[in-house]
Amino acid sequence: MAHLKKNTRGAVPGLAVHFERKTDHHSNKEIDVAKTYLNQDLISDGSDMLSRFNERLNDVYCMKRDDVKALATWIVTLPEALSEVPYEQQSAFFEATKQFLDDRYGQENAVAAVVHYDETTPHLHYAFVPVVFDAKKERYKVSAKEVLTRHDLQTFHDELDQNLKAVLPFYEQGILNNKTLPFENVAEIKKYNDQFQALKDELANVEDNISAKKALLKVTNQALMEVDLAEKQIDDFKQALSKNLFGKTVIKPDDLDCFKSVLANMKKEQLQSQRNAEQTSHELSKVKEQLAGVKADHQKLKKAHQQLQDSQQESQIIDNAMRDMLKNDYGVDSIKQSDVEARAILYKLDHNELTKNKIEATSWLNTLTTARHDRETKIDHKRLEWGIDQVKALINRLVELARDLFKGMTR
C-alpha cells in the first residue's frame, strides 16, 4: 500500500533527518537502532537529500511562498505476502518500486529514496520535487497540483502493481489485494480514515458508558434489596423479644428502634441513589439513541465505501475494454497520458460541457498547450488550436462574469 503527502519547503530539513537517520534520538519509539544497518539509500551519488532538494529548486521556477508544496513524498510499504521472503527479494521489490517512481515523476526530480528496515514494517520513503513544463512561459516550474492530478492518484496503485508484476517473477499477489480504497486524492483517504476512526472511538466510548451505568444500576438495586431484608429481620427479632417472658433480654427494644432509625436513614440514602440511577437510566436511553445514530452513520460509510469500490471496478472494466479495442481493432498499443487528457478536454468542448471554474479552465489551457508543443502528439494541430481558442474565450467569459458580479456587489 502506498501513501502520498505534499510538503512545504520548511518541512524538508525535518524529513531529511528522519529519512537519513541523522540523529540517534528518535521520537518514533518503533525504530529499532539495532536494525538500522539494514536500511538502504537507493540514491548513492555522494550527496544528501537536502542538497539535492536545493539544487533541483535552483534549476526550476518555484514561487517564493511558505505554503507552496515544493516536495512530494510517497511511502510504499512492503506487501504482507513478502514479509517472510529473503532480504534480497525485499530489496528487489523496493528497487523496482523506485525505478517505477523515477519513470513516473522524472529521475532528475528525485531527492531521496530510502528503505527503512528498522521499523515495524519495511517501507520505502521516496521524495521528489513535483516539476511540470509551463508551456506559456516556456520553463519548468514546481506545481504539485499539476503533477499529482486526480488521474495520477486514481491510476497510481494499479499501474505500480502491474509494473511490479511484470518485472519481479516472485511478485504474484500484488499490493492491491482488493484493499485499496478508490479515492481521488490523499485528502479524501485521510478524511475517510479520520471519520471511520472517530466513529470507532465514539462507539467504544458509548459502549464503556453503557457498561459502567449498567454496573451502577446493579449495585444500587442490590443495596436496596439488602436494606429491605435487614429491616424485616429487625422487626421479626423485636417481635420475638417481646414474647420471651422467661428469657434473658440482651438487646432492648429501644436499642432496636435506634438501629432501625439508622437503617431508615440508610434506606433514604439508597432511595436517593435509586433516583440517581433512574436518571442515569434515562441518560442511558439517550446514549443508546446516540449509539444507534453512530451505527447508522457507520453503515452509511461502509455503503459509500462499497459503492466507491464498485465504481472503481466498473471504471476498470470500461478502461480495459477501451484498451483492447484500441490495440486489436486500431493497432494502437499505447497512448500518451498528455494526449488522453487533451482529448478528454476536446470532447467536453465538442459537447459544450464547459467548466465554470477559472482555475480548472486555466488547467485545460495548459493541458492543450502542452499537447500542441509535443512533437509526438497524435492529435491534429488544427484541432488543438481550435480547442485553445475555445478555452481562452471561456476564460475571458468567466473573468467578465466575475467582474460583473463584483460590480453588482459594490453598488
Side-chain angles (χ1 to χ4, degrees):
M1 183 61 181
H3 296 279
L4 172 71
K5 185 178 181 182
K6 302 174 186 177
N7 309 274
T8 61
R9 230 178 307 211
V12 176
L15 290 173
V17 170
H18 174 69
F19 290 179
E20 298 175 329
R21 296 291 192 259
K22 292 185 176 181
T23 178
D24 294 330
H25 304 288
H26 303 293
S27 59
N28 185 354
K29 302 303 180 184
E30 294 183 353
I31 295 177
D32 183 356
V33 294
K35 296 181 179 178
T36 299
Y37 76 94
L38 294 171
N39 293 350
Q40 292 179 287
D41 187 348
L42 302 183
I43 302 180
S44 54
D45 58 1
S47 62
D48 59 13
M49 174 179 170
L50 198 55
S51 57
R52 294 186 204 111
F53 174 74
N54 291 327
E55 182 179 351
R56 187 54 178 152
L57 282 193
N58 289 334
D59 294 338
V60 299
Y61 171 75
C62 182
M63 287 191 295
K64 305 294 184 181
R65 280 174 34 184
D66 292 339
D67 60 342
V68 172
K69 305 299 185 182
L71 184 77
T73 55
W74 276 106
I75 301 178
V76 181
T77 306
L78 184 74
E80 185 176 352
L82 300 182
S83 60
E84 302 297 330
V85 303
Y87 177 82
E88 291 75 15
Q89 290 188 1
Q90 294 183 358
S91 178
F93 168 83
F94 288 120
E95 290 175 358
T97 301
K98 189 257 185 187
Q99 185 61 54
F100 169 83
L101 292 165
D102 283 346
D103 295 340
R104 193 175 185 91
Y105 300 112
Q107 184 176 358
E108 68 278 8
N109 299 317
V111 299
V114 181
V115 182
H116 287 165
Y117 289 97
D118 56 359
E119 295 182 51
T120 304
T121 305
H123 56 273
L124 165 70
H125 288 285
Y126 183 88
F128 65 98
V129 179
V131 174
V132 66
F133 183 72
D134 186 344
K136 185 176 182 181
K137 297 185 178 180
E138 297 185 345
R139 65 185 180 187
Y140 287 95
K141 68 175 182 179
V142 176
S143 177
K145 182 176 66 174
E146 294 181 62
V147 174
L148 301 165
T149 61
R150 175 188 298 180
H151 181 270
D152 179 74
L153 297 175
Q154 285 178 330
T155 59
F156 180 88
H157 287 88
D158 183 64
E159 292 181 3
L160 172 59
D161 190 58
Q162 295 301 321
N163 178 269
L164 293 175
K165 287 179 178 177
V167 299
L168 299 177
F170 59 84
Y171 180 82
E172 298 176 353
Q173 186 173 355
I175 60 170
L176 298 182
N177 198 22
N178 296 323
K179 293 181 179 179
T180 303
L181 302 182
F183 294 106
E184 294 181 355
N185 53 53
V186 175
E188 285 193 31
I189 295 174
K190 185 178 185 304
K191 180 180 178 181
Y192 177 88
N193 288 339
D194 289 346
Q195 286 179 327
F196 194 76
Q197 187 59 46
L199 286 173
K200 286 179 64 178
D201 293 343
E202 190 171 352
L203 278 170
N205 291 335
V206 168
E207 289 171 351
D208 289 345
N209 200 2
I210 289 174
S211 298
K213 291 183 176 180
K214 281 183 176 179
L216 175 62
L217 283 171
K218 183 177 180 180
V219 171
T220 301
N221 290 333
Q222 182 66 28
L224 283 172
M225 290 174 61
E226 291 175 357
V227 170
D228 287 337
L229 180 60
E231 188 174 16
K232 184 176 184 302
Q233 290 174 340
I234 292 296
D235 284 335
D236 293 342
F237 184 49
K238 180 179 177 181
Q239 186 177 5
L241 284 176
S242 64
K243 292 179 180 179
N244 189 357
L245 300 176
F246 304 101
K248 186 176 180 180
T249 303
V250 179
I251 300 177
K252 298 178 181 180
D254 291 342
D255 293 333
L256 291 174
D257 287 337
C258 181
F259 185 52
K260 184 176 180 180
S261 176
V262 173
L263 286 175
N265 289 332
M266 289 177 59
K267 185 173 183 179
K268 181 179 179 181
E269 293 177 0
Q270 292 297 327
L271 287 172
Q272 181 62 43
S273 296
Q274 187 178 37
R275 283 193 289 270
N276 292 339
E278 290 174 352
Q279 182 178 357
T280 298
S281 179
H282 179 66
E283 294 175 356
L284 182 61
S285 297
K286 291 183 178 180
V287 171
K288 287 182 177 179
E289 292 177 2
Q290 294 174 357
L291 175 61
V294 169
K295 287 184 176 179
D297 291 340
H298 184 203
Q299 290 300 319
K300 289 179 182 178
L301 271 178
K302 288 178 65 177
K303 183 177 180 181
H305 177 197
Q306 186 60 48
Q307 289 175 344
L308 284 170
Q309 285 189 320
D310 294 342
S311 175
Q312 185 194 40
Q313 292 175 357
E314 183 178 351
S315 298
Q316 188 62 50
I317 292 172
I318 295 173
D319 181 66
N320 291 338
M322 293 299 295
R323 290 175 186 270
D324 180 77
M325 178 183 70
L326 289 171
K327 180 178 181 179
N328 294 298
D329 296 345
Y330 296 96
V332 178
D333 290 328
S334 64
I335 300 178
K336 295 185 65 174
Q337 183 58 35
S338 57
D339 273 15
V340 173
E341 294 175 356
R343 288 181 185 278
I345 294 169
L346 292 171
Y347 178 87
K348 291 180 180 180
L349 293 173
D350 284 338
H351 294 80
N352 203 31
E353 297 177 7
L354 307 181
T355 179
K356 297 181 181 179
N357 186 300
K358 180 176 175 291
I359 295 177
E360 185 177 7
T362 303
S363 174
W364 286 10
L365 181 60
N366 291 336
T367 300
L368 294 176
T369 305
T370 300
R372 183 184 62 183
H373 285 83
D374 186 355
R375 296 180 179 179
E376 297 180 1
T377 183
K378 303 299 183 183
I379 306 175
D380 186 274
H381 275 228
K382 291 183 180 180
R383 180 161 166 72
L384 286 171
E385 292 290 351
W386 172 83
I388 291 171
D389 292 340
Q390 293 294 315
V391 175
K392 286 181 178 178
L394 173 61
I395 293 174
N396 290 334
R397 289 198 299 274
L398 292 174
V399 171
E400 289 296 328
L401 182 62
R403 186 180 294 119
D404 292 343
L405 182 61
F406 178 76
K407 288 180 180 179
M409 295 173 62
T410 55
R411 288 176 182 173

